[in-house]
PDB file of all heavy atoms in Angstrom:
ATOM      1  N   TRP B 619     -23.368  21.953  24.516  1.00 92.00           N
ATOM      2  CA  TRP B 619     -22.821  22.239  23.182  1.00 92.00           C
ATOM      3  C   TRP B 619     -21.299  22.080  23.142  1.00 92.00           C
ATOM      4  O   TRP B 619     -20.729  21.690  22.116  1.00 92.00           O
ATOM      5  CB  TRP B 619     -23.262  23.647  22.756  1.00 92.00           C
ATOM      6  CG  TRP B 619     -22.607  24.137  21.485  1.00 92.00           C
ATOM      7  CD1 TRP B 619     -21.788  25.194  21.350  1.00 92.00           C
ATOM      8  CD2 TRP B 619     -22.708  23.551  20.169  1.00 92.00           C
ATOM      9  NE1 TRP B 619     -21.379  25.334  20.065  1.00 92.00           N
ATOM     10  CE2 TRP B 619     -21.925  24.328  19.296  1.00 92.00           C
ATOM     11  CE3 TRP B 619     -23.383  22.437  19.656  1.00 92.00           C
ATOM     12  CZ2 TRP B 619     -21.800  24.048  17.951  1.00 92.00           C
ATOM     13  CZ3 TRP B 619     -23.254  22.155  18.294  1.00 92.00           C
ATOM     14  CH2 TRP B 619     -22.469  22.956  17.457  1.00 92.00           C
ATOM     15  N   PHE B 620     -20.627  22.384  24.260  1.00 91.00           N
ATOM     16  CA  PHE B 620     -19.159  22.269  24.283  1.00 91.00           C
ATOM     17  C   PHE B 620     -18.691  20.829  24.055  1.00 91.00           C
ATOM     18  O   PHE B 620     -17.636  20.595  23.476  1.00 91.00           O
ATOM     19  CB  PHE B 620     -18.595  22.810  25.602  1.00 91.00           C
ATOM     20  CG  PHE B 620     -18.682  24.309  25.730  1.00 91.00           C
ATOM     21  CD1 PHE B 620     -18.401  24.920  26.939  1.00 91.00           C
ATOM     22  CD2 PHE B 620     -19.032  25.106  24.653  1.00 91.00           C
ATOM     23  CE1 PHE B 620     -18.463  26.310  27.067  1.00 91.00           C
ATOM     24  CE2 PHE B 620     -19.120  26.497  24.769  1.00 91.00           C
ATOM     25  CZ  PHE B 620     -18.836  27.096  25.980  1.00 91.00           C
ATOM     26  N   VAL B 621     -19.503  19.879  24.535  1.00 92.00           N
ATOM     27  CA  VAL B 621     -19.152  18.466  24.285  1.00 92.00           C
ATOM     28  C   VAL B 621     -19.258  18.206  22.784  1.00 92.00           C
ATOM     29  O   VAL B 621     -18.366  17.592  22.173  1.00 92.00           O
ATOM     30  CB  VAL B 621     -20.104  17.513  25.060  1.00 92.00           C
ATOM     31  CG1 VAL B 621     -19.750  16.060  24.764  1.00 92.00           C
ATOM     32  CG2 VAL B 621     -20.041  17.782  26.544  1.00 92.00           C
ATOM     33  N   TRP B 622     -20.350  18.691  22.202  1.00 93.00           N
ATOM     34  CA  TRP B 622     -20.524  18.502  20.763  1.00 93.00           C
ATOM     35  C   TRP B 622     -19.440  19.232  19.973  1.00 93.00           C
ATOM     36  O   TRP B 622     -18.990  18.729  18.945  1.00 93.00           O
ATOM     37  CB  TRP B 622     -21.919  18.983  20.316  1.00 93.00           C
ATOM     38  CG  TRP B 622     -22.992  18.098  20.861  1.00 93.00           C
ATOM     39  CD1 TRP B 622     -23.916  18.398  21.815  1.00 93.00           C
ATOM     40  CD2 TRP B 622     -23.211  16.730  20.501  1.00 93.00           C
ATOM     41  NE1 TRP B 622     -24.702  17.304  22.083  1.00 93.00           N
ATOM     42  CE2 TRP B 622     -24.296  16.264  21.283  1.00 93.00           C
ATOM     43  CE3 TRP B 622     -22.604  15.844  19.618  1.00 93.00           C
ATOM     44  CZ2 TRP B 622     -24.783  14.967  21.205  1.00 93.00           C
ATOM     45  CZ3 TRP B 622     -23.092  14.551  19.531  1.00 93.00           C
ATOM     46  CH2 TRP B 622     -24.165  14.123  20.311  1.00 93.00           C
ATOM     47  N   CYS B 623     -19.034  20.415  20.453  1.00 92.00           N
ATOM     48  CA  CYS B 623     -17.935  21.143  19.788  1.00 92.00           C
ATOM     49  C   CYS B 623     -16.688  20.266  19.696  1.00 92.00           C
ATOM     50  O   CYS B 623     -16.056  20.168  18.632  1.00 92.00           O
ATOM     51  CB  CYS B 623     -17.562  22.400  20.573  1.00 92.00           C
ATOM     52  SG  CYS B 623     -18.608  23.785  20.256  1.00 92.00           S
ATOM     53  N   GLY B 624     -16.360  19.653  20.841  1.00 92.00           N
ATOM     54  CA  GLY B 624     -15.181  18.778  20.894  1.00 92.00           C
ATOM     55  C   GLY B 624     -15.315  17.633  19.913  1.00 92.00           C
ATOM     56  O   GLY B 624     -14.373  17.300  19.172  1.00 92.00           O
ATOM     57  N   ILE B 625     -16.498  17.027  19.875  1.00 94.00           N
ATOM     58  CA  ILE B 625     -16.706  15.872  18.990  1.00 94.00           C
ATOM     59  C   ILE B 625     -16.681  16.314  17.519  1.00 94.00           C
ATOM     60  O   ILE B 625     -16.032  15.664  16.684  1.00 94.00           O
ATOM     61  CB  ILE B 625     -18.025  15.147  19.354  1.00 94.00           C
ATOM     62  CG1 ILE B 625     -17.837  14.450  20.698  1.00 94.00           C
ATOM     63  CG2 ILE B 625     -18.417  14.139  18.270  1.00 94.00           C
ATOM     64  CD1 ILE B 625     -19.079  13.812  21.271  1.00 94.00           C
ATOM     65  N   ILE B 626     -17.340  17.431  17.212  1.00 94.00           N
ATOM     66  CA  ILE B 626     -17.352  17.906  15.806  1.00 94.00           C
ATOM     67  C   ILE B 626     -15.926  18.238  15.350  1.00 94.00           C
ATOM     68  O   ILE B 626     -15.488  17.842  14.270  1.00 94.00           O
ATOM     69  CB  ILE B 626     -18.287  19.138  15.652  1.00 94.00           C
ATOM     70  CG1 ILE B 626     -19.743  18.718  15.851  1.00 94.00           C
ATOM     71  CG2 ILE B 626     -18.115  19.803  14.282  1.00 94.00           C
ATOM     72  CD1 ILE B 626     -20.720  19.863  16.038  1.00 94.00           C
ATOM     73  N   LYS B 627     -15.182  18.929  16.211  1.00 94.00           N
ATOM     74  CA  LYS B 627     -13.796  19.269  15.837  1.00 94.00           C
ATOM     75  C   LYS B 627     -12.985  17.992  15.595  1.00 94.00           C
ATOM     76  O   LYS B 627     -12.228  17.895  14.636  1.00 94.00           O
ATOM     77  CB  LYS B 627     -13.137  20.090  16.962  1.00 94.00           C
ATOM     78  CG  LYS B 627     -13.563  21.535  16.974  1.00 94.00           C
ATOM     79  CD  LYS B 627     -12.557  22.431  17.678  1.00 94.00           C
ATOM     80  CE  LYS B 627     -12.467  22.208  19.160  1.00 94.00           C
ATOM     81  NZ  LYS B 627     -11.553  23.136  19.826  1.00 94.00           N
ATOM     82  N   SER B 628     -13.195  17.018  16.494  1.00 94.00           N
ATOM     83  CA  SER B 628     -12.391  15.787  16.381  1.00 94.00           C
ATOM     84  C   SER B 628     -12.690  15.038  15.087  1.00 94.00           C
ATOM     85  O   SER B 628     -11.814  14.357  14.548  1.00 94.00           O
ATOM     86  CB  SER B 628     -12.631  14.884  17.585  1.00 94.00           C
ATOM     87  OG  SER B 628     -13.929  14.341  17.534  1.00 94.00           O
ATOM     88  N   LEU B 629     -13.907  15.145  14.568  1.00 95.00           N
ATOM     89  CA  LEU B 629     -14.223  14.478  13.293  1.00 95.00           C
ATOM     90  C   LEU B 629     -13.363  15.055  12.170  1.00 95.00           C
ATOM     91  O   LEU B 629     -12.829  14.312  11.336  1.00 95.00           O
ATOM     92  CB  LEU B 629     -15.712  14.641  12.952  1.00 95.00           C
ATOM     93  CG  LEU B 629     -16.707  13.953  13.904  1.00 95.00           C
ATOM     94  CD1 LEU B 629     -18.136  14.300  13.516  1.00 95.00           C
ATOM     95  CD2 LEU B 629     -16.524  12.445  13.911  1.00 95.00           C
TER      96      LEU B 629
END
Side-chain angles (χ1 to χ4, degrees):
Chain B
W619 172 243
F620 289 170
V621 179
W622 292 111
C623 278
I625 290 174
I626 292 167
K627 282 202 291 184
S628 70
L629 295 175

